[in-house]
Amino acid sequence: MLTGVAMAMGVVLGVVLATMWLSPNPLVSGASWFYIWLFRGTPILVQILFWFYLAALYPHVSIGVPFGGPELFGGASKDLIPPVVAAIFGLGFNEGAYMAEIVRAGINSVDEGQEEAAKALGFSRIQTMRRIVLPQAMRVIIPPTGNETISMLKTSSLVSVIAYAELLYSAQIIFSRNYKTIELLVVASIWYLAFTTILTIGQYYLERYFARGSSRTPPPSRIEYVVRNVFKLRSPREEGGMLPETPHAPGEPGR
Amino acid sequence: MNAPNAQRSMVEAVKVRKRFGRTEVLKGISLEVRPSEVMCLLGPSGSGKSTFLRCINHLERIDGGELWVDGELVGYREHGDKIYELRESEIARKRAEIGMVFQRFNLFPHLTAIENIALAPVRVRQTARDQAKDHARTLLAQVGLADRGDAYPAQLSGGQQQRVAIARALAMKPKLMLFDEPTSALDPELVGDVLAVMRKLAADGMTMIVVTHEIGFAREVADSLVFMDDGVVVESGAPAEVLDAPRHERTKAFLSKVL
Ligand SMILES: Nc1ncnc2c1ncn2[C@@H]1O[C@H](COP(=O)(O)OP(=O)(O)OP(=O)(O)O)[C@@H](O)[C@H]1O
Ligand SMILES: [Mg+2]
């Protein structure tokens, strides 16, 4: 059950994130990039603990307000986010990040001519994705998704058998230890993020190397992509501006 | 701002420029296509023919000059005396009015011939499904494939696929058709069927721009012929003129190779 719900969440999130990542809008693709970076880069257990603690702590502290801060609202924490839901959130949001990568790989496997033909017929980007690209990407998406499901099955049993007790136990510990646990988790997560960031950079250069010649325009590495998009943000396009009136553009070699 | 011949030309290019990174691929292309005219575009590989076609339906954004289709600037909208870049949905709507046929057909492999043809009318134009399928059958019959409607692209020969692709473009009732080397990927014995369909289209008054190496077709069907090389129009005129009495060395050299 846990696996089913979390996996469904992951697949839906994955499709949405992958579509967002390929969006020409820098904010949209940036958000997707950040999500994947964060959720793929931190340990799953930390994420589950996070959701659980959020539930456990929320009635007593609000973010950024140290002890003694105003109590936002009371009531039993477990009514707000019970452990099962914390586990589903943790697994589902985490899975979304992995599925996004799988879906993206599937999308990239579809011939560029397909997108071009769809665009030429007047399909919007979303329609092209939904009607043309994704159905063809499924062949590539399904096998690793099977893997993910199996792996999820194992993780979730781990979560429900071990971590569940652990959750309750450590929740008690935090209360007795002045939140040290959370600090430790945050520190550990930062280290994980650093390492996975390095691995991610490696992955993109590898991908690009093996994608050479398979595409008219080589996909920018995710890092380059973000850098370029940030740059684009800073220099807004000439909305409502001039025509691309550059017959005598500067720096043009001229013939 | 007004197109020089806004009412009379279907396509009007004025010093159109396009670059990819450092390389300038189109170096100021100017030409005009009138309604119902068939223009053939010739030129060696890499001269920018495909790029120019892709600019016409805004699959590529031009970097300079002006491009008009049916009296409207490609990719821009006039409002008062200001000019705005079109939103994505507006660009899509404009593209739907221009049919495009590709060298490698680009049929959707997960859909049958009928579905390939009916999809865009249903999804882009909100035509009723039954009506779109009926129209698709009519179009399939027109391209000589009445009995292959339920076949998937992989079950069709190259020539049949290309004829389905033409029908797919026609289903949107375009005012202009762009053909990018429609017969280059075909076995010689299949070329004739595709050219026959195109010939009929031309006779029915469709405005067409055809990138092709089929000199015979160009001579017989085209109203005008443009020879491009290295991103510029080297020579243009009536097909017989350009083919039989080319004035430029580059045209001569090219023709001696393909004829
Ligand atoms: N997306 C792109 N990025 C970079 N360069 C490109 C891109 N598309 C085309 N080019 C370059 O532009 C030039 C013109 O290409 P184009 O495809 O328009 O030529 P063509 O005349 O259609 O040639 P062919 O007869 O081989 O189809 C080529 O040198 C090509 O390398
Ligand atoms: Mg070409």
Side-chain angles (χ1 to χ4, degrees):
Chain A
M1 211 285 288
L2 196 62
T3 309
V5 176
M7 200 63 209
M9 215 169 122
V11 170
V12 172
L13 261 173
V15 171
V16 172
L17 285 167
T19 310
M20 281 171 66
W21 192 75
L22 295 166
S23 160
N25 183 328
L27 282 180
V28 174
S29 67
S32 156
W33 172 85
F34 179 76
Y35 181 99
I36 296 172
W37 174 75
L38 188 67
F39 282 84
R40 219 163 61 127
T42 50
I44 173 76
L45 214 60
V46 171
Q47 289 175 33
I48 295 174
L49 286 176
F50 168 81
W51 291 111
F52 188 73
Y53 287 160
L54 202 66
L57 296 178
Y58 211 65
H60 302 285
V61 292
S62 59
I63 294 167
V65 181
F67 326 138
E71 190 172 308
L72 288 185
F73 54 95
S77 62
K78 292 187 188 83
D79 295 343
L80 296 173
I81 302 185
V84 183
V85 176
I88 287 177
F89 273 25
L91 290 170
F93 282 115
N94 184 259
E95 190 55 37
Y98 285 94
M99 281 308 300
E101 283 291 278
I102 291 171
V103 173
R104 192 177 61 85
I107 289 171
N108 284 343
S109 76
V110 177
D111 185 82
E112 274 180 308
Q114 293 291 310
E115 197 188 326
E116 194 160 284
K119 274 172 146 183
L121 284 166
F123 285 98
S124 69
R125 236 180 55 79
I126 302 283
Q127 283 177 322
T128 304
M129 202 55 103
R130 159 138 170 55
R131 302 282 163 193
I132 308 299
V133 177
L134 280 177
Q136 295 180 58
M138 286 322 278
R139 265 173 42 173
V140 173
I141 293 175
I142 285 172
T145 304
N147 272 353
E148 287 294 308
T149 312
I150 292 167
S151 144
M152 165 87 81
L153 199 67
K154 295 180 191 164
T155 317
S156 62
S157 65
L158 209 73
V159 167
S160 52
V161 176
I162 303 171
Y164 185 73
E166 183 77 7
L167 280 178
L168 295 174
Y169 175 66
S170 39
Q172 284 158 6
I173 291 181
I174 345 174
F175 292 120
S176 58
R177 284 226 190 138
N178 289 345
Y179 308 96
K180 274 275 159 49
T181 323
I182 286 200
E183 281 167 31
L184 283 174
L185 283 180
V186 168
V187 169
S189 298
I190 289 173
W191 277 107
Y192 272 105
L193 269 177
F195 285 127
T196 50
T197 302
I198 293 170
L199 286 175
T200 308
I201 294 172
Q203 178 196 337
Y204 277 92
Y205 281 103
L206 210 62
E207 261 181 45
R208 228 157 61 110
Y209 178 76
F210 285 107
R212 68 196 189 285
S214 73
S215 163
R216 203 194 311 267
T217 43
S221 83
R222 191 179 278 171
I223 297 90
E224 276 177 275
Y225 195 82
V226 167
V227 169
R228 196 181 304 167
N229 279 340
V230 167
F231 184 72
K232 234 197 267 168
L233 259 189
R234 293 242 178 84
S235 60
R237 271 171 274 161
E238 335 91 286
E239 191 70 35
M242 298 283 94
L243 267 175
E245 204 97 70
T246 46
H248 0 266
E252 190 174 277
R255 33 178 351 247
Chain B
M1 177 163 308
N2 274 309
N5 278 312
Q7 295 85 355
R8 291 166 61 224
S9 51
M10 180 59 81
V11 177
E12 170 113 32
V14 185
K15 296 193 179 127
V16 168
R17 289 172 177 269
K18 174 72 194 172
R19 74 178 73 212
F20 291 110
R22 290 265 171 76
T23 37
E24 191 164 43
V25 175
L26 301 179
K27 301 171 181 171
I29 299 284
S30 299
L31 54 78
E32 188 194 344
V33 184
R34 311 249 175 134
S36 295
E37 180 178 334
V38 177
M39 174 181 281
C40 279
L41 223 59
L42 298 183
S45 183
S47 55
K49 307 179 298 289
S50 301
T51 306
F52 181 65
L53 283 194
R54 293 162 53 80
C55 287
I56 292 176
N57 69 355
H58 208 270
L59 286 173
E60 302 283 359
R61 192 168 177 270
I62 63 175
D63 297 317
E66 292 167 21
L67 196 47
W68 300 82
V69 172
D70 203 14
E72 291 177 50
L73 271 177
V74 173
Y76 297 87
R77 173 168 42 97
E78 286 175 273
H79 191 78
D81 47 0
K82 272 194 165 174
I83 290 163
Y84 297 91
E85 198 163 0
L86 290 182
R87 272 180 282 116
E88 215 189 279
S89 58
E90 297 173 304
I91 292 173
R93 210 174 309 134
K94 291 276 164 69
R95 281 198 191 115
E97 298 172 351
I98 302 175
M100 191 160 195
V101 175
F102 304 87
Q103 183 172 356
R104 291 186 307 129
F105 330 135
N106 295 351
L107 288 181
F108 307 131
H110 59 301
L111 302 176
T112 63
I114 288 278
E115 289 166 345
N116 261 281
I117 299 168
L119 187 66
V122 171
R123 296 293 162 195
V124 178
R125 291 268 167 80
Q126 277 78 43
T127 310
R129 192 177 297 269
D130 291 341
Q131 199 186 329
K133 291 212 162 167
D134 282 346
H135 188 218
R137 278 189 204 96
T138 312
L139 287 168
L140 266 184
Q142 276 174 28
V143 298
L145 293 169
D147 53 340
R148 304 308 312 271
D150 296 323
Y152 284 89
Q155 299 163 338
L156 299 171
S157 76
Q160 292 172 333
Q161 286 188 52
Q162 192 62 301
R163 284 183 281 155
V164 173
I166 293 173
R168 179 176 70 175
L170 291 176
M172 296 300 278
K173 306 192 172 79
K175 54 190 177 191
L176 167 68
M177 287 283 285
L178 309 174
F179 293 86
D180 193 355
E181 303 196 30
T183 57
S184 297
L186 298 177
D187 292 338
E189 73 269 23
L190 301 177
V191 168
D193 293 337
V194 173
L195 291 184
V197 168
M198 291 169 61
R199 210 172 272 135
K200 202 166 97 205
L201 256 185
D204 291 346
M206 177 61 78
T207 314
M208 296 161 58
I209 303 182
V210 185
V211 173
T212 186
H213 295 306
E214 296 290 334
I215 302 296
F217 176 83
R219 184 189 295 276
E220 181 198 339
V221 179
D223 300 301
S224 63
L225 198 149
V226 169
F227 175 72
M228 270 175 75
D229 192 9
D230 198 22
V232 295
V233 172
V234 175
E235 187 160 351
S236 63
E241 257 171 59
V242 178
L243 293 173
D244 299 331
R247 274 165 298 171
H248 292 263
E249 282 310 316
R250 280 196 275 180
T251 319
K252 283 179 198 162
F254 176 76
L255 288 175
S256 69
K257 268 181 250 163
V258 288
L259 279 176

XYZ file of all heavy atoms in Angstrom, chain A residues 96-157:
466
model
N 9.822 11.117 -6.667
C 9.555 12.090 -7.725
C 10.839 12.572 -8.374
O 10.926 12.700 -9.597
N 11.855 12.827 -7.555
C 13.115 13.318 -8.078
C 13.785 12.269 -8.971
O 14.308 12.583 -10.040
C 14.042 13.707 -6.935
N 13.748 11.004 -8.537
C 14.361 9.949 -9.346
C 13.572 9.706 -10.631
O 14.132 9.529 -11.711
C 14.459 8.647 -8.537
C 15.569 8.701 -7.520
C 15.331 9.096 -6.216
C 16.871 8.377 -7.890
C 16.344 9.174 -5.290
C 17.899 8.449 -6.978
C 17.634 8.856 -5.675
O 18.647 8.936 -4.777
N 12.233 9.695 -10.481
C 11.396 9.469 -11.654
C 11.575 10.587 -12.683
O 11.536 10.353 -13.887
C 9.918 9.359 -11.261
C 9.512 8.021 -10.682
S 9.973 6.607 -11.693
C 9.101 6.970 -13.211
N 11.801 11.802 -12.191
C 12.002 12.924 -13.111
C 13.186 12.642 -14.026
O 13.138 12.894 -15.234
C 12.230 14.214 -12.330
N 14.249 12.088 -13.453
C 15.428 11.768 -14.253
C 15.113 10.679 -15.271
O 15.559 10.723 -16.410
C 16.561 11.294 -13.335
C 17.253 12.412 -12.616
C 18.057 13.284 -13.555
O 19.191 12.931 -13.908
O 17.520 14.326 -13.953
N 14.338 9.689 -14.841
C 13.982 8.595 -15.741
C 13.099 9.099 -16.890
O 13.322 8.774 -18.056
C 13.264 7.470 -14.950
C 14.273 6.798 -14.012
C 12.626 6.462 -15.881
C 13.647 5.824 -13.043
N 12.128 9.924 -16.541
C 11.229 10.471 -17.564
C 12.013 11.352 -18.536
O 11.818 11.302 -19.746
C 10.084 11.273 -16.918
C 9.244 11.978 -17.970
C 9.197 10.360 -16.089
N 12.924 12.125 -17.998
C 13.726 13.001 -18.849
C 14.538 12.186 -19.850
O 14.627 12.528 -21.029
C 14.663 13.854 -17.991
C 15.313 14.988 -18.743
C 16.167 15.824 -17.806
N 17.238 15.043 -17.197
C 18.417 14.834 -17.782
N 18.681 15.369 -18.951
N 19.339 14.106 -17.184
N 15.113 11.091 -19.351
C 15.878 10.230 -20.250
C 14.954 9.678 -21.341
O 15.330 9.598 -22.512
C 16.518 9.088 -19.470
N 13.725 9.322 -20.951
C 12.764 8.821 -21.927
C 12.441 9.866 -22.977
O 12.420 9.585 -24.173
N 12.225 11.073 -22.514
C 11.887 12.161 -23.436
C 13.035 12.395 -24.412
O 12.828 12.560 -25.617
C 11.579 13.455 -22.640
C 10.252 13.295 -21.906
C 11.537 14.665 -23.558
C 9.949 14.406 -20.918
N 14.254 12.375 -23.896
C 15.408 12.593 -24.764
C 15.585 11.489 -25.799
O 16.231 11.681 -26.820
C 16.686 12.710 -23.933
C 16.776 14.056 -23.249
O 16.072 14.996 -23.625
N 17.621 14.153 -22.232
N 15.002 10.312 -25.506
C 15.187 9.197 -26.431
C 14.284 9.324 -27.662
O 14.466 8.629 -28.646
C 14.886 7.873 -25.727
O 13.487 7.706 -25.580
N 13.311 10.218 -27.599
C 12.391 10.368 -28.736
C 13.012 11.281 -29.790
O 13.564 12.331 -29.461
C 11.030 10.940 -28.260
C 10.100 11.172 -29.437
C 10.395 9.999 -27.262
N 12.917 10.863 -31.025
C 13.512 11.596 -32.140
C 13.044 13.052 -32.166
O 11.868 13.345 -31.969
C 13.108 10.910 -33.450
C 13.771 11.534 -34.656
O 14.925 11.175 -34.922
O 13.147 12.386 -35.313
N 13.988 13.952 -32.404
C 13.653 15.379 -32.440
C 12.627 15.719 -33.515
O 11.856 16.665 -33.372
C 14.906 16.195 -32.729
C 15.715 16.541 -31.516
C 16.938 17.348 -31.907
O 17.685 16.909 -32.810
O 17.144 18.415 -31.331
N 12.654 14.945 -34.589
C 11.718 15.189 -35.682
C 10.270 15.098 -35.242
O 9.393 15.749 -35.807
N 10.011 14.302 -34.202
C 8.650 14.139 -33.702
C 8.129 15.444 -33.113
O 7.019 15.861 -33.384
C 8.621 13.042 -32.628
C 8.917 11.665 -33.174
C 7.783 11.188 -34.051
O 6.641 11.232 -33.657
N 8.101 10.752 -35.250
N 8.972 16.056 -32.294
C 8.581 17.305 -31.670
C 8.404 18.381 -32.741
O 7.471 19.175 -32.697
C 9.661 17.716 -30.670
C 9.190 18.748 -29.687
C 10.329 19.273 -28.844
O 11.250 18.490 -28.534
O 10.297 20.471 -28.518
N 9.308 18.334 -33.706
C 9.272 19.329 -34.763
C 7.984 19.204 -35.578
O 7.316 20.196 -35.878
C 10.489 19.107 -35.658
C 10.766 20.229 -36.574
C 12.208 20.168 -37.039
O 13.081 20.524 -36.234
O 12.456 19.748 -38.179
N 7.630 17.955 -35.920
C 6.417 17.733 -36.698
C 5.201 18.192 -35.907
O 4.287 18.815 -36.453
C 6.293 16.254 -37.066
N 5.188 17.900 -34.609
C 4.058 18.289 -33.776
C 3.944 19.809 -33.703
O 2.858 20.373 -33.850
C 4.200 17.701 -32.378
N 5.080 20.461 -33.488
C 5.069 21.920 -33.431
C 4.568 22.506 -34.746
O 3.778 23.438 -34.754
C 6.487 22.440 -33.195
C 6.901 22.525 -31.755
C 8.373 22.855 -31.740
C 8.822 23.727 -30.616
N 10.277 24.021 -30.776
N 5.036 21.944 -35.849
C 4.649 22.469 -37.155
C 3.150 22.326 -37.385
O 2.566 23.067 -38.161
C 5.434 21.760 -38.264
N 2.521 21.363 -36.707
C 1.075 21.190 -36.849
C 0.308 22.126 -35.915
O -0.908 22.169 -35.944
C 0.681 19.746 -36.547
C 0.995 18.728 -37.642
C 0.877 17.317 -37.098
C 0.069 18.910 -38.831
N 1.025 22.837 -35.058
C 0.374 23.801 -34.182
C 0.126 23.304 -32.769
O -0.611 23.927 -32.014
N 0.723 22.173 -32.401
C 0.580 21.687 -31.032
C 1.334 22.597 -30.074
O 2.421 23.076 -30.398
C 1.149 20.274 -30.886
C 0.275 19.207 -31.470
C 0.527 18.699 -32.724
C -0.794 18.711 -30.762
C -0.274 17.719 -33.283
C -1.601 17.727 -31.300
C -1.341 17.231 -32.564
N 0.775 22.794 -28.886
C 1.493 23.545 -27.868
C 2.557 22.621 -27.271
O 2.574 21.420 -27.543
C 0.537 24.001 -26.769
O 0.100 22.878 -26.028
N 3.395 23.194 -26.440
C 4.458 22.400 -25.825
C 3.888 21.266 -24.972
O 4.352 20.133 -25.017
C 5.310 23.313 -24.945
C 6.779 23.311 -25.275
C 7.486 24.255 -24.331
N 7.226 23.913 -22.934
C 7.849 22.924 -22.286
N 8.773 22.214 -22.892
N 7.563 22.662 -21.034
N 2.868 21.598 -24.194
C 2.263 20.601 -23.314
C 1.593 19.499 -24.136
O 1.742 18.309 -23.849
C 1.218 21.269 -22.383
C 1.862 22.376 -21.566
C 0.553 20.242 -21.494
C 2.694 21.919 -20.396
N 0.854 19.901 -25.167
C 0.201 18.909 -26.025
C 1.220 18.014 -26.710
O 1.025 16.806 -26.819
C -0.628 19.616 -27.107
C -1.946 20.186 -26.618
C -2.660 20.927 -27.724
O -2.028 21.611 -28.530
N -3.972 20.806 -27.768
N 2.288 18.619 -27.187
C 3.337 17.843 -27.847
C 3.866 16.786 -26.889
O 4.035 15.615 -27.243
C 4.498 18.763 -28.283
O 3.978 19.788 -29.106
C 5.551 17.978 -29.034
N 4.082 17.218 -25.651
C 4.605 16.305 -24.646
C 3.613 15.169 -24.393
O 3.949 13.998 -24.423
C 4.827 17.120 -23.366
C 5.805 16.535 -22.413
S 7.377 16.238 -23.208
C 8.299 17.577 -22.590
N 2.364 15.538 -24.159
C 1.360 14.581 -23.737
C 0.935 13.639 -24.865
O 0.778 12.446 -24.655
C 0.155 15.366 -23.198
C -1.151 14.642 -23.157
C -1.920 14.924 -21.868
N -3.276 14.410 -21.911
C -3.583 13.143 -22.179
N -2.625 12.279 -22.450
N -4.837 12.749 -22.206
N 0.757 14.172 -26.064
C 0.206 13.369 -27.154
C 1.265 12.670 -27.990
O 1.005 11.626 -28.585
C -0.617 14.252 -28.104
C -1.747 14.991 -27.451
C -2.904 14.068 -27.213
N -3.828 14.656 -26.244
C -4.791 13.984 -25.660
N -4.963 12.704 -25.927
N -5.570 14.571 -24.789
N 2.420 13.272 -28.091
C 3.416 12.763 -29.029
C 4.642 12.196 -28.319
O 5.039 11.054 -28.543
C 3.873 13.877 -30.011
C 2.657 14.538 -30.668
C 4.847 13.342 -31.028
C 1.783 13.625 -31.479
N 5.262 12.998 -27.469
C 6.562 12.602 -26.934
C 6.434 11.542 -25.832
O 7.050 10.480 -25.903
C 7.345 13.834 -26.424
C 8.655 13.410 -25.808
C 7.588 14.803 -27.575
N 5.597 11.812 -24.817
C 5.504 10.865 -23.704
C 5.051 9.456 -24.124
O 5.646 8.471 -23.682
C 4.601 11.416 -22.596
C 5.276 12.441 -21.676
C 4.287 12.987 -20.657
C 6.482 11.845 -20.956
N 4.028 9.335 -24.983
C 3.649 7.970 -25.382
C 4.816 7.191 -25.981
O 4.942 5.982 -25.779
C 2.551 8.200 -26.426
C 1.997 9.545 -26.128
C 3.131 10.346 -25.571
N 5.678 7.890 -26.713
C 6.816 7.204 -27.308
C 7.938 6.988 -26.305
O 8.737 6.066 -26.432
C 7.341 7.999 -28.508
C 6.351 8.069 -29.644
C 6.891 8.858 -30.807
O 7.933 8.543 -31.359
N 6.188 9.910 -31.187
N 7.986 7.878 -25.301
C 9.040 7.760 -24.297
C 8.766 6.594 -23.344
O 9.688 6.076 -22.710
C 9.156 9.072 -23.513
N 7.510 6.162 -23.273
C 7.135 5.116 -22.313
C 7.996 3.865 -22.443
O 8.369 3.252 -21.450
C 5.652 4.736 -22.482
C 4.672 5.762 -21.960
S 5.181 6.574 -20.465
C 4.682 5.346 -19.277
N 8.309 3.507 -23.677
C 9.124 2.303 -23.894
C 10.431 2.373 -23.122
O 10.922 1.374 -22.619
C 9.423 2.138 -25.380
C 8.454 1.225 -26.046
C 8.622 1.174 -27.527
N 10.010 1.131 -27.966
C 10.350 0.939 -29.233
N 9.444 0.758 -30.148
N 11.622 0.925 -29.586
N 10.983 3.563 -23.057
C 12.257 3.739 -22.353
C 12.025 3.958 -20.865
O 12.850 3.592 -20.032
C 13.032 4.933 -22.967
C 14.276 5.261 -22.174
C 13.381 4.629 -24.413
N 10.879 4.523 -20.526
C 10.612 4.880 -19.128
C 10.232 3.653 -18.292
O 10.601 3.546 -17.127
C 9.485 5.947 -19.049
C 9.986 7.265 -19.646
C 9.015 6.155 -17.625
C 8.921 8.336 -19.728
N 9.497 2.719 -18.898
C 8.923 1.632 -18.097
C 9.943 0.703 -17.411
O 9.816 0.467 -16.212
C 7.881 0.844 -18.932
C 6.612 1.700 -19.046
C 7.528 -0.487 -18.283
C 5.571 1.162 -19.994
N 10.959 0.210 -18.120
C 11.866 -0.724 -17.411
C 12.509 -0.148 -16.151
O 12.409 -0.774 -15.087
C 12.908 -1.074 -18.476
C 12.248 -0.781 -19.769
C 11.309 0.344 -19.534
N 13.115 1.040 -16.208
C 13.680 1.554 -14.958
C 12.615 1.878 -13.908
O 12.907 1.838 -12.709
C 14.431 2.821 -15.384
C 13.965 3.141 -16.741
C 13.421 1.905 -17.353
N 11.401 2.160 -14.358
C 10.331 2.402 -13.392
C 10.002 1.124 -12.629
O 9.721 1.154 -11.425
C 9.067 2.941 -14.092
O 9.414 4.111 -14.821
C 7.983 3.293 -13.091
N 10.070 -0.006 -13.336
C 9.899 -1.298 -12.674
C 10.949 -1.474 -11.595
O 10.647 -1.845 -10.452
N 12.187 -1.164 -11.954
C 13.276 -1.218 -10.977
C 12.979 -0.365 -9.761
O 13.168 -0.791 -8.627
C 14.572 -0.691 -11.605
C 15.330 -1.793 -12.298
O 14.958 -2.958 -12.206
N 16.382 -1.423 -12.994
N 12.540 0.849 -10.037
C 12.254 1.782 -8.956
C 11.173 1.236 -8.026
O 11.261 1.369 -6.812
C 11.782 3.132 -9.525
C 12.889 3.952 -10.160
C 13.920 4.407 -9.145
O 13.515 4.983 -8.125
O 15.113 4.161 -9.357
N 10.152 0.613 -8.638
C 9.060 0.086 -7.828
C 9.554 -1.010 -6.893
O 9.218 -1.037 -5.702
C 7.951 -0.476 -8.734
O 7.664 0.498 -9.742
C 6.691 -0.774 -7.948
N 10.366 -1.893 -7.444
C 10.898 -2.977 -6.626
C 11.754 -2.426 -5.500
O 11.634 -2.825 -4.336
C 11.716 -3.944 -7.508
C 10.756 -4.670 -8.463
C 12.498 -4.925 -6.655
C 11.459 -5.411 -9.571
N 12.587 -1.470 -5.866
C 13.472 -0.882 -4.868
C 12.656 -0.146 -3.807
O 12.979 -0.178 -2.618
C 14.463 0.042 -5.577
O 14.750 1.155 -4.817
N 11.593 0.477 -4.250
C 10.707 1.175 -3.319
C 10.048 0.200 -2.347
O 9.911 0.481 -1.155
C 9.640 1.929 -4.120
C 8.461 2.406 -3.301
S 8.751 3.993 -2.563
C 8.382 5.062 -3.932
N 9.669 -0.939 -2.904
C 9.037 -1.969 -2.077
C 9.955 -2.344 -0.916
O 9.535 -2.458 0.232
C 8.742 -3.191 -2.945
C 7.711 -4.180 -2.441
C 6.339 -3.526 -2.452
C 7.699 -5.424 -3.325
N 11.228 -2.494 -1.264
C 12.195 -2.869 -0.221
C 12.387 -1.734 0.773
O 12.400 -1.951 1.987
C 13.539 -3.227 -0.860
C 13.458 -4.464 -1.734
C 14.825 -4.750 -2.311
C 14.769 -5.789 -3.399
N 16.005 -5.791 -4.202
N 12.558 -0.513 0.238
C 12.780 0.618 1.122
C 11.599 0.813 2.063
O 11.773 1.067 3.252
C 12.967 1.923 0.318
O 13.808 1.646 -0.785
C 13.579 3.007 1.180
N 10.411 0.692 1.492
C 9.246 0.987 2.322
C 9.076 -0.055 3.421
O 8.634 0.270 4.518
C 7.993 1.095 1.465
O 7.737 -0.117 0.822
N 9.446 -1.296 3.121
C 9.356 -2.287 4.194
C 10.382 -1.972 5.269
O 10.121 -2.089 6.454
C 9.563 -3.705 3.644
O 10.859 -3.839 3.143
